[in-house]
Amino acid sequence: MKKLSGGHAVVRVLEAEGVKRAFCVPGESYLGVIDGLYNHPSIQLISTRHEGGASFMAEAYAKASGDVGVCMATRGPGATNLSIGLHTAMQDSTPVVALIGQVERPFIGKEAFQEVDFEAYFSHLCKWSVEIDDVERIPEILHRAFYEARSGRPGPVVVSLPHDMLEDITTYIDSKPIRFNRPIADIQTVEKVINEINKAKNPFVIAGGGVISAQAQPELEAFVEKLNLPVASAFRRFNVLSNHHQNYAGWLGFGLNKKLVEAIQSSDLIIALGTRLSQVSTQDYTVLGDDPRIIQIDISESSIGKSYDVELGVVSDAKGFLQTALSVIKENENTKRQEEVHRYNDAYVKHSTPPGSKGDTQYAEMNSVMQDIMSAVPENSILTSDAGNFYGWLARYFRFTDSKRYIGPTSGAMGYGLPGALGAKVALPEHTVISFSGDGGFMMTIQELETAVREGINVISIVVNNNMFGTIRAHQENHFPGRVVATPLTNPRFSEVAKLYGCNGATVTNNEDFLPVFHEALHSDKPYVIEIVTDPNILSAGQVAD
Ligand SMILES: Cc1ncc(C[n+]2csc(CCOP(=O)(O)OP(=O)(O)O)c2C)c(N)n1
Ligand SMILES: [Mg+2]
C-alpha cells in the first residue's frame, strides 16, 4: 500500500490497463496526471498540436492496435476541441478513454474558469461520461471507464478529473482491469440462421466493423466459402474480407457500384453481420429495397433493429457466431449459388479497375495515380483518409487485404487522415502508413506535421489539391448551379510548407512524376508530403471512370 497523489493514481490505473501510449495537449488542470508520466518506463506520452489531432490519433491508434486509445485535454477549451475524435470513436465503435482536467471541486457550478459540465456535454457524444469527485474512487471508476470503452459495442468514454482531486493523497491498493466474456449466440439460434440461409434463394451478407474489431475475417471467409455467399463491406469497412476474394461483391458508401445495389435489392435475405446498416452504407436507407428480410447479428442488442425492422436479431460477437456456425455447417452445402457469386465479383472487379489515364501534363490525374500507388504500395501498409471527393478514387480502386488495411472515419470527419496516420504508425511502427487528404481537410490538421517531426513518426501524406472544398462544390453545382460561394480555396504549396516543418515534400503536376516521388517517399527517413495538383473540373472518380 502506497500513498499517492490522485494524478499518480490515475497513471497506476493506466498501467494496470496495459496502456502504452497517450496523446494529449497539456493543461494546468491535469498536470498531476502528466507528472505521473514523467520518464515513465512503459507509457509514452505524445504531445500534439491540437486536441482534435490528439483524439484522432487515439482513435486510429485503437483501430490499428486493437487496444483502447487514450487522449487527454484540459477543461472546456481542450475538451471541446477533443470532440471531433470522440464523435468519430462513437460512430465507428472504437474504444477510447479521454481524460479531462476539470475545475476544482469547490468551484464547480459557479461558471468557473473554462468550466463545462462534462457529464452533460458528452452524454450524447460518448458512450459514457463520468466525473471522479473522490480520490479514493479513481481505481474503481477508471477501470469501469476502460470496461465500458471495450465491452459490448465499443466506444468513447470521458472521465472528468477535478484539478484539486488530482492533488489529494490516497492510499493506493493495486487494482486490476475488469475481465469479461463476449456474448456468443447459442447453437440453436446459429442453426436457425443457417437454416434460413439454406432456404433462401439468393442471400447476401453485409459485413461491418464488428467483423474487424472481433478479428473475425478468417472465419467470415470460411463461412461465405462454405455457404457460397456474396459479401459487401459496410461504409469504410473494406477489411472484412480480402477485396481479391471471389466472394467479395464490393463496398457500400458514396459512389457505390449500381450493380451492387441491384444485387442486394434482388436478394431475398440480408445477413447483416456486425453492422448497424448506417445511413451511408444504405444510401439513405434505400440500398436494401422497400421490404427486405433481414437477419442481424451484432454484439450489441441496441444496434439490432436500429435502422431496419429485422426478422431475427442475434446478439453475438461476430467471431463467436461464425465459429459456432462453422462447427455445424456441413462441407460446401450450397454449390448452386456459385455462378451468382462470381457474377457479383466480376461486376466489382470491373467497377474497381481504373481506366487508362488521359496522359494530361497540366495536372496529375487520379486514375493514373491510383494505379501507381497500387503497383508500388508494400505489404503491411495502412492507408488512412479524410472525407472528401478525392477519397472516391481510393475507395473505388484500391484493393484492401489482410496486409493492406484501411483506417478511416465512418463519421466522415475531415482532418482525420494525417493524425490518423500518426496514431496508426505509433501502434504499428513496422508498417508503411500513408494518409490521403484533400487540400481542405489537410489544412484542418496540418500542424500535426510538427508532432510527426518531433516524435520521428515517419508517415507519407498524400494531399490531393484541387484548390477547393470539392465535395461541397459538386453538391453546390447540383443544387445551386452557377452560385459558387464558400467553396473556392487558395493554398500554399503544401510540399514547401512540409519542408518548413522539417519533413520532405514534393509537388506532382503530371502523371509521370508521381511514381518516382512515391518511391522516394517510401524510403524517406522523415515524414513526407506528396502534393498532387489535380484538375479542378474533375470532381469525382465516377466522372472520368464511367
Ligand atoms: C470536419 C468537417 N467539416 C466539414 C465537413 C463537410 N465537408 C465534407 S467534404 C468537404 C470538402 C472537402 O474538401 P477537400 O478536403 O479539399 O477534398 P475534395 O472534396 O476537394 O476532394 C467538406 C467541407 C466534414 N465532412 N468534416
Ligand atoms: Mg479539395
Side-chain angles (χ1 to χ4, degrees), residues 439-440 466 468 470:
D439 49 314
N466 55 7
M468 67 174 89

Side-chain angles (χ1 to χ4, degrees), residues 432-452:
T432 300
V433 182
I434 304 168
S435 73
F436 282 75
S437 310
D439 49 314
F442 194 63
M443 196 73 115
M444 288 190 177
T445 46
I446 190 171
Q447 68 278 6
E448 301 306 344
L449 287 176
E450 191 279 333
T451 307

Side-chain angles (χ1 to χ4, degrees), residues 84 387-390 412-414 438-441 444 466 468-472:
I84 190 167
N389 270 6
F390 69 89
M414 290 168 73
D439 49 314
M444 288 190 177
N466 55 7
M468 67 174 89
F469 290 124
T471 312
I472 310 305

Side-chain angles (χ1 to χ4, degrees), residues 56 84 386-393 411-415 437-444 464-473 475 486-487 489 491 534 538-539:
F56 279 146
I84 190 167
D386 278 34
N389 270 6
F390 69 89
Y391 160 81
W393 280 270
S411 65
M414 290 168 73
S437 310
D439 49 314
F442 194 63
M443 196 73 115
M444 288 190 177
V464 181
N465 184 4
N466 55 7
N467 287 308
M468 67 174 89
F469 290 124
T471 312
I472 310 305
R473 171 72 62 81
H475 287 298
T487 50
L489 297 171
N491 285 306
T534 59
I538 299 176
L539 284 176

Side-chain angles (χ1 to χ4, degrees), residues 460-533:
I460 299 173
S461 293
I462 294 183
V463 185
V464 181
N465 184 4
N466 55 7
N467 287 308
M468 67 174 89
F469 290 124
T471 312
I472 310 305
R473 171 72 62 81
H475 287 298
Q476 200 161 48
E477 285 180 4
N478 280 337
H479 297 289
F480 304 98
R483 292 168 64 83
V484 171
V485 55
T487 50
L489 297 171
T490 57
N491 285 306
R493 259 284 144 268
F494 287 106
S495 55
E496 293 302 318
V497 175
K499 287 178 196 160
L500 293 173
Y501 273 108
C503 306
N504 287 324
T507 297
V508 172
T509 53
N510 63 61
N511 295 341
E512 290 69 41
D513 288 350
F514 179 77
L515 201 51
V517 166
F518 189 52
H519 279 296
E520 191 177 286
L522 286 171
H523 296 104
S524 171
D525 57 358
K526 295 177 185 174
Y528 200 115
V529 175
I530 306 177
E531 174 184 11
I532 302 174
V533 182

